[in-house]
Amino acid sequence: MLYRRPMTTARKLLDLDALAARIPDGAHLAIPADYSGVAMAATRALVRRRARGLRLVTVPTSGMQADILIGAGCVAAIETSGVGLGEHGLAPRFTAAAKSGSLHIIEATCPAIHAALQASEKGVPFMPLRGLLGSDLLAQRPDWKVIDNPFAAAGDPLVLLPAVRPDIALFHARWADRAGNVWIGRRRELATMAHAAARTLVTVEALFDGDLLADESTASGTLPSLYVSAAAVAERGAWPLPLPGLYAADDAAIRRYAQEARSDSGFARYLDETLRAAA
Amino acid sequence: MLYRRPMTTARKLLDLDALAARIPDGAHLAIPADYSGVAMAATRALVRRRARGLRLVTVPTSGMQADILIGAGCVAAIETSGVGLGEHGLAPRFTAAAKSGSLHIIEATCPAIHAALQASEKGVPFMPLRGLLGSDLLAQRPDWKVIDNPFAAAGDPLVLLPAVRPDIALFHARWADRAGNVWIGRRRELATMAHAAARTLVTVEALFDGDLLADESTASGTLPSLYVSAAAVAERGAWPLPLPGLYAADDAAIRRYAQEARSDSGFARYLDETLRAAA
Amino acid sequence: MNDASANEFLIVALARMIEGCRHVAVGNASPVPGAAALLARALSGDAMLVSLLGSLAHNPYTDGGRELFDSAGQGRLDAFFLGGGEIDGQANVNLVAVGPHDAPLARFPGSFGSAYLYFAVPRVILFRAEHTRRVLVPRVSFISAPGTSPPGIHRSGGPTALVTSRCAFAFDRARGRFRLETLHPGHTAEEVRAETGFDYDSAPEVAQTPPPSARALELIRGRVAGELAETYPSFAAREWGRAA
Amino acid sequence: MNDASANEFLIVALARMIEGCRHVAVGNASPVPGAAALLARALSGDAMLVSLLGSLAHNPYTDGGRELFDSAGQGRLDAFFLGGGEIDGQANVNLVAVGPHDAPLARFPGSFGSAYLYFAVPRVILFRAEHTRRVLVPRVSFISAPGTSPPGIHRSGGPTALVTSRCAFAFDRARGRFRLETLHPGHTAEEVRAETGFDYDSAPEVAQTPPPSARALELIRGRVAGELAETYPSFAAREWGRAA
């Protein structure tokens, strides 16, 4: 084969702060669940550059990432099926912001977020979803519509969810190659996020020396460069969260965060230390 | 880890004829396009056992597989976006059956078949799809409904496709492991087919010695055993069609088929030879 | 009663409720249900398939986060565990907040997949260790997922049981009411009545929840502890001194 | 004119029409459009992304057969080639059958993705080498995909051109009519009028379709032939004696 994939690294490969600068204040930002590869180093860069007014959509839940962004004042609104620290309990800054009414929380349920992203992925205005009826989520979501299933003989109400099209998807993965292909393994919700979002920014553990699409063993877990706007290398970029398959969560670090973030002053101290260490 | 995945090979691993016997007359059978891994050896076994009244849905197109099944009298109806022999022109038996009116052809378009399977995959009664309006496909498909997009201010007609739930999905892949996991690489329409179908039957080139889900490099291209009813080993089981990544199409064999199948007598001769060779 | 810890006792009680299922999934932040599913799998001779959210080794899914919900929609998921910040006598579950949504008195993480899975999974086991009037309320203040649905609502699943640190209830979907089934050792029917905020049915004589068998305890402390530690390292370390 | 073959001439003519596109896809059984896309990519210095259906090496998709259509629905696909058993003057395309559907006079393979992609892809290039009144008809007998849509129909794409072995037409979507743009060498405006079954507009003086450059021919016979042979071995062997 004579063909070599485009050498677009120069255009697509940024440093971490340049990547974070691509996320403007007010952006509608999709972020993955803790088990998917969370861009924690990029999150700290966002806090450093004092991002404001972000509208998060968690795919479908979040933990420490959303909590830090909320605590640092970066977030205006969050659409989520759940924010918590897993084994370490409630997410303190999310909980405090919810109680004080300072955060606009758009309640969702996991399959609704997946389906609404799939609607954008497919270029359709909505997706149907079973369930939901009789829940107070519907009252919280005037954008969700109940119709009668047009294929049923008698009344069969079901919910239609409007497409969710984030401005930007942000996540952390193991590799990017020089063409901008990104290896996500079996974390396919990252592909859906990227397909649905207008732009996708990725941090990776390392550059992959070769073409991720050239070999079937890597191609089947690869998000093609078609969807990737820019990437930055951030070694251990999910820390203290895990990058499943490569490293586990740093349990002690998350526990310490869970304790510190319970108070405003503790969170301020944690943030200050973290950002100074990262600078 | 103490856990070993269930050793269900004994239950799930069949020989080719036993696999074909699991496809009853009249079954609603989903089959993949030529580039996905077509179970040609199993197709010959179906012809051998004189299957009758199959209702095919091609995902989203077919070639020699549908043509042989039609020519051999196994097919009552076919839902398809296209049946042809690619570089080798029209599919002769499909074309002849269409002209004689002996085959019920349900016209479709590729993304409609993918979306209707995704509806079953998601357990929803329908999926919306853009396009289609003003095409004569709509006239052929009274089961497709046009509604006004409930999220648009003014009239915005779009098509709803009812879910397609095949009785059985049948395809050929590279490996199955002893637990019944099947490696499909990047041919993810095979996963959608399997998710949508009530049962899935697979032929594979070889048994994989190990757990396809244990390693991330194979797991990302693996259909889990949850969806796999039974598998049979059939070396070069896609022949003369390709198994992309492993072997190319046998161009001479397909060309010969294309010529022979032009006449009833030529097709009869071809079938006879093929089945005698396989027996 | 043998020397089972409180959590071990609950793990066995929950495992009993999913016996015979082909496929059981466990959601976020659920170490006790996770251990129960792993135990039930071990006791089934590995005939049961278990999907543990957040696990790589004990999760067959390869189609991303939606596959759990899609497979439930396909009817391929037999049982699921669900918790609740509040649970009421109609088995409504609140995972969101107590009080007004924009200024709540208490805030929980969120509804997760409950609003969907409660409809789609035939056997949903409610589990909440804390058994107080704070949790088991007359009426939840936010319905994340309703316990029952009126006729005409497409619903193939729902709650079948509620297990707490004190007892196990069964849920009667037709009547929309719980019935006290068994009491854990050391707890009484009067105590349960006093600590439960909602009304429920009860037999005049309530049986005891059977204790863990020696075989179950051996499996929990060996194989299950090792398997669980991948996803719940803190819990496994606290409970059994096990690292992943 | 240089020594380009008829197919090479068409490959270059088609490649010209997708210049500047970021992403071009080619469907089933389309060796000439496939070669055109590969040539356009080579001429773009590999700035263009090409997705060849059925190819492994020249196809970036990893999400299954739906990804081509999904990416078009996302607005990530700039151009696509479409053939037609019949094409009419309103750019309606028939890929199904001539005559009644249950007893057709002629049967084609089927509509493939046309009924969707014709709506979603901004630049759809119609290509059919055979330029006769049998193919270019006053009115197709089955509309696989309509050339235009009335106001109020969501549509972000459609036909922009039609290339045959005799000439190239442009399509004016507002007027719903073709306009003869250029004639291939050796063909005349009178001949095109005589062989075309539908009415179309034409300038008084119709320019010639430019011949392939030496650079384009060199790329076709070298790199493009090698790349195409993976997916279209028979065509590449016939045209250039190339094996995959």
Side-chain angles (χ1 to χ4, degrees):
Chain A
M1 288 287 111
L2 296 162
Y3 171 60
R4 295 215 326 247
R5 284 171 200 287
M7 299 292 279
T8 51
T9 319
R11 191 165 50 82
K12 287 203 174 170
L13 199 68
L14 307 176
D15 73 28
L16 193 58
D17 286 316
L19 190 92
R22 294 274 191 105
I23 302 172
D25 286 357
H28 188 205
L29 184 67
I31 54 174
D34 285 1
Y35 49 75
S36 280
V38 176
M40 286 301 285
T43 300
R44 290 184 284 272
L46 271 175
V47 172
R48 267 200 305 277
R49 83 147 190 76
R50 299 180 163 279
R52 288 294 175 269
L54 298 179
R55 292 168 299 132
L56 301 181
V57 53
T58 68
V59 184
T61 59
S62 186
M64 197 170 158
Q65 180 182 29
D67 207 55
I68 287 181
L69 286 171
I70 290 165
C74 306
V75 181
I78 184 169
E79 176 171 0
T80 188
S81 306
V83 180
L85 299 183
E87 285 208 87
H88 303 285
L90 296 175
R93 294 294 96 198
F94 167 77
T95 308
K99 285 183 169 176
S100 75
S102 63
L103 177 67
H104 181 207
I105 303 174
I106 302 157
E107 302 292 339
T109 181
C110 305
I113 290 182
H114 291 303
L117 290 171
Q118 281 184 284
S120 279
E121 178 178 64
K122 300 197 79 61
V124 292
F126 60 84
M127 289 274 278
L129 188 67
R130 287 293 191 188
L132 305 180
L133 298 165
S135 106
D136 286 334
L137 286 173
L138 275 179
Q140 291 287 322
R141 297 297 302 249
D143 56 329
W144 291 357
K145 283 187 195 297
V146 179
I147 66 158
D148 257 326
N149 172 11
F151 293 91
D156 173 23
L158 90 175
V159 177
L160 301 185
L161 314 161
V164 167
R165 182 161 172 81
D167 298 327
I168 298 170
L170 172 69
F171 61 85
H172 183 71
R174 185 144 180 186
W175 292 303
D177 69 16
R178 293 181 184 280
N181 302 302
V182 173
W183 191 80
I184 57 172
R186 68 181 107 169
R187 296 300 357 149
R188 299 203 66 82
E189 61 279 346
L190 300 177
T192 306
M193 270 172 68
H195 297 167
R199 283 177 293 144
T200 292
L201 304 174
V202 184
T203 59
V204 294
E205 287 294 311
L207 277 185
F208 183 85
D209 195 19
D211 178 353
L212 283 164
L213 291 175
D215 186 286
E216 206 61 26
S217 72
T218 49
S220 50
T222 293
L223 173 72
S225 64
L226 173 59
Y227 306 96
V228 180
S229 301
V233 172
E235 214 181 316
R236 290 188 69 80
W239 179 86
L241 296 175
L243 186 56
L246 194 60
Y247 49 86
D250 180 344
D251 231 50
I254 302 173
R255 188 178 309 116
R256 197 183 143 243
Y257 174 79
Q259 285 157 355
E260 286 282 63
R262 274 182 209 160
S263 68
D264 292 356
S265 60
F267 179 76
R269 190 167 55 238
Y270 177 89
L271 209 59
D272 195 51
E273 272 173 36
T274 303
L275 297 186
R276 252 187 293 131
Chain B
M1 286 289 110
L2 295 163
Y3 171 59
R4 293 213 330 243
R5 285 171 198 286
M7 299 292 281
T8 51
T9 319
R11 189 164 53 84
K12 288 206 174 169
L13 199 67
L14 307 176
D15 73 29
L16 194 57
D17 286 316
L19 190 91
R22 294 274 190 106
I23 302 173
D25 286 357
H28 188 205
L29 183 67
I31 55 175
D34 285 0
Y35 48 76
S36 281
V38 176
M40 287 302 286
T43 300
R44 291 184 284 272
L46 271 175
V47 171
R48 267 200 305 277
R49 86 148 188 76
R50 299 181 163 278
R52 288 294 174 266
L54 298 179
R55 293 168 297 132
L56 301 180
V57 52
T58 68
V59 184
T61 59
S62 185
M64 197 169 158
Q65 180 182 29
D67 207 55
I68 287 180
L69 288 171
I70 291 165
C74 307
V75 181
I78 183 170
E79 176 173 359
T80 188
S81 307
V83 180
L85 299 183
E87 285 209 84
H88 302 285
L90 294 175
R93 294 295 95 198
F94 167 77
T95 308
K99 283 183 170 176
S100 75
S102 64
L103 178 66
H104 181 208
I105 304 175
I106 301 157
E107 302 291 340
T109 182
C110 305
I113 291 182
H114 291 303
L117 290 171
Q118 282 185 283
S120 280
E121 178 178 63
K122 298 195 82 60
V124 292
F126 60 84
M127 287 274 276
L129 188 67
R130 287 295 191 186
L132 305 180
L133 298 165
S135 108
D136 286 334
L137 287 173
L138 275 180
Q140 291 286 322
R141 297 299 304 251
D143 55 328
W144 292 357
K145 283 187 194 297
V146 179
I147 66 157
D148 258 325
N149 172 11
F151 293 92
D156 173 23
L158 90 176
V159 177
L160 301 185
L161 314 160
V164 167
R165 182 163 172 79
D167 298 328
I168 298 169
L170 172 69
F171 61 85
H172 183 71
R174 186 145 182 187
W175 293 302
D177 69 17
R178 293 181 184 280
N181 302 301
V182 173
W183 191 81
I184 58 171
R186 66 181 109 169
R187 297 297 1 145
R188 298 203 66 81
E189 61 279 345
L190 300 176
T192 306
M193 272 171 66
H195 297 167
R199 282 177 295 145
T200 291
L201 303 174
V202 184
T203 59
V204 295
E205 287 295 312
L207 277 185
F208 181 86
D209 194 20
D211 178 353
L212 283 163
L213 291 176
D215 187 285
E216 206 60 26
S217 72
T218 49
S220 49
T222 292
L223 173 72
S225 64
L226 173 58
Y227 307 96
V228 179
S229 302
V233 172
E235 214 181 316
R236 290 189 69 80
W239 177 88
L241 296 175
L243 186 56
L246 193 59
Y247 49 85
D250 181 344
D251 231 49
I254 301 173
R255 189 179 307 117
R256 197 183 143 243
Y257 174 78
Q259 284 158 356
E260 287 282 63
R262 273 183 210 160
S263 69
D264 291 356
S265 60
F267 178 78
R269 190 165 57 237
Y270 177 90
L271 210 59
D272 196 51
E273 273 173 34
T274 303
L275 296 187
R276 251 185 298 131
Chain C
M1 184 171 175
N2 49 29
D3 65 341
S5 76
N7 277 328
E8 287 170 340
F9 186 91
L10 292 171
I11 289 166
V12 173
L14 291 177
R16 213 174 277 127
M17 297 192 160
I18 53 173
E19 228 182 276
C21 289
R22 297 160 309 163
H23 181 203
V24 176
V26 181
N28 215 39
S30 310
V32 170
L38 294 169
L39 173 61
R41 178 173 73 182
L43 289 167
S44 79
D46 287 331
M48 181 187 291
L49 196 64
V50 168
S51 304
L52 221 59
L53 189 68
S55 168
L56 273 181
H58 307 289
N59 191 325
Y61 291 134
T62 58
D63 202 29
R66 65 170 176 252
E67 192 176 3
L68 166 66
F69 308 102
D70 288 357
S71 69
Q74 294 153 28
R76 293 187 213 265
L77 182 54
D78 302 321
F80 189 76
F81 296 98
L82 197 59
E86 292 181 332
I87 299 167
D88 69 23
Q90 290 79 51
N92 297 311
V93 169
N94 174 9
L95 294 156
V96 168
V98 177
H101 186 258
D102 53 356
L105 305 169
R107 171 74 212 194
F108 312 127
S111 299
F112 293 96
S114 64
Y116 178 79
L117 292 174
Y118 220 26
F119 286 76
V121 179
R123 206 185 294 191
V124 179
I125 319 289
L126 296 169
F127 169 66
R128 180 75 199 255
E130 181 181 338
H131 186 144
T132 62
R133 286 177 170 264
R134 193 180 74 126
V135 172
L136 305 184
V137 297
R139 181 76 187 169
V140 297
S141 54
F142 184 100
I143 301 179
S144 286
T148 60
S149 298
I153 300 286
H154 183 96
R155 181 163 192 165
S156 45
T160 56
L162 164 62
V163 176
T164 72
S165 58
R166 302 184 200 269
C167 66
F169 296 96
F171 187 71
D172 183 328
R173 287 190 206 166
R175 303 191 60 216
R177 278 174 74 84
F178 284 106
R179 186 183 65 242
L180 179 60
E181 283 288 289
T182 65
L183 290 159
H184 303 342
H187 298 279
T188 67
E190 295 68 33
E191 167 205 331
V192 166
R193 184 68 70 184
E195 298 291 345
T196 304
F198 56 74
D199 191 28
Y200 55 86
D201 299 330
S202 182
E205 292 289 318
V206 181
Q208 277 239 331
T209 315
S213 67
R215 167 91 184 116
L217 273 183
E218 185 195 327
L219 281 167
I220 290 179
R221 291 167 186 177
R223 173 178 159 169
V224 169
E227 292 173 355
L228 193 74
E230 177 211 9
T231 312
Y232 297 103
S234 294
F235 181 89
R238 263 197 326 270
E239 195 71 24
W240 303 293
R242 286 296 286 252
Chain D
M1 188 170 174
N2 49 29
D3 65 339
S5 75
N7 276 329
E8 288 170 338
F9 187 91
L10 291 171
I11 288 166
V12 172
L14 290 177
R16 214 174 276 130
M17 296 191 160
I18 53 173
E19 229 182 275
C21 288
R22 297 161 309 163
H23 181 204
V24 176
V26 180
N28 216 39
S30 310
V32 170
L38 295 169
L39 174 62
R41 178 174 70 182
L43 289 168
S44 78
D46 287 331
M48 181 187 289
L49 197 64
V50 168
S51 303
L52 221 61
L53 190 69
S55 168
L56 273 182
H58 307 289
N59 191 325
Y61 291 134
T62 57
D63 201 29
R66 67 171 175 252
E67 192 177 2
L68 166 65
F69 308 102
D70 287 357
S71 69
Q74 295 154 27
R76 292 186 215 267
L77 182 55
D78 302 321
F80 190 76
F81 296 98
L82 198 59
E86 292 181 331
I87 299 167
D88 70 22
Q90 291 77 53
N92 297 311
V93 168
N94 175 9
L95 294 156
V96 168
V98 177
H101 186 259
D102 53 358
L105 306 169
R107 172 72 212 195
F108 312 125
S111 299
F112 293 95
S114 64
Y116 178 79
L117 292 173
Y118 221 26
F119 286 76
V121 179
R123 207 186 292 192
V124 178
I125 319 288
L126 296 169
F127 169 65
R128 179 74 199 254
E130 181 181 338
H131 185 146
T132 64
R133 285 177 170 265
R134 194 179 74 124
V135 172
L136 305 184
V137 297
R139 181 76 187 167
V140 297
S141 55
F142 185 100
I143 300 179
S144 285
T148 60
S149 298
I153 300 286
H154 183 95
R155 182 165 192 165
S156 46
T160 56
L162 163 62
V163 176
T164 72
S165 58
R166 302 184 200 271
C167 66
F169 297 95
F171 187 70
D172 182 329
R173 287 189 207 167
R175 302 190 59 215
R177 278 175 74 82
F178 284 108
R179 186 183 65 240
L180 179 59
E181 282 288 289
T182 65
L183 290 159
H184 302 342
H187 298 280
T188 67
E190 294 68 33
E191 167 205 331
V192 166
R193 185 68 70 182
E195 299 289 346
T196 305
F198 56 73
D199 191 27
Y200 56 86
D201 299 330
S202 180
E205 292 290 318
V206 180
Q208 277 237 332
T209 315
S213 67
R215 167 92 184 115
L217 275 182
E218 187 196 326
L219 281 167
I220 290 177
R221 292 167 186 178
R223 174 178 158 169
V224 169
E227 292 173 354
L228 194 73
E230 177 211 8
T231 312
Y232 297 103
S234 294
F235 182 89
R238 266 197 323 272
E239 195 71 26
W240 303 293
R242 288 294 288 252

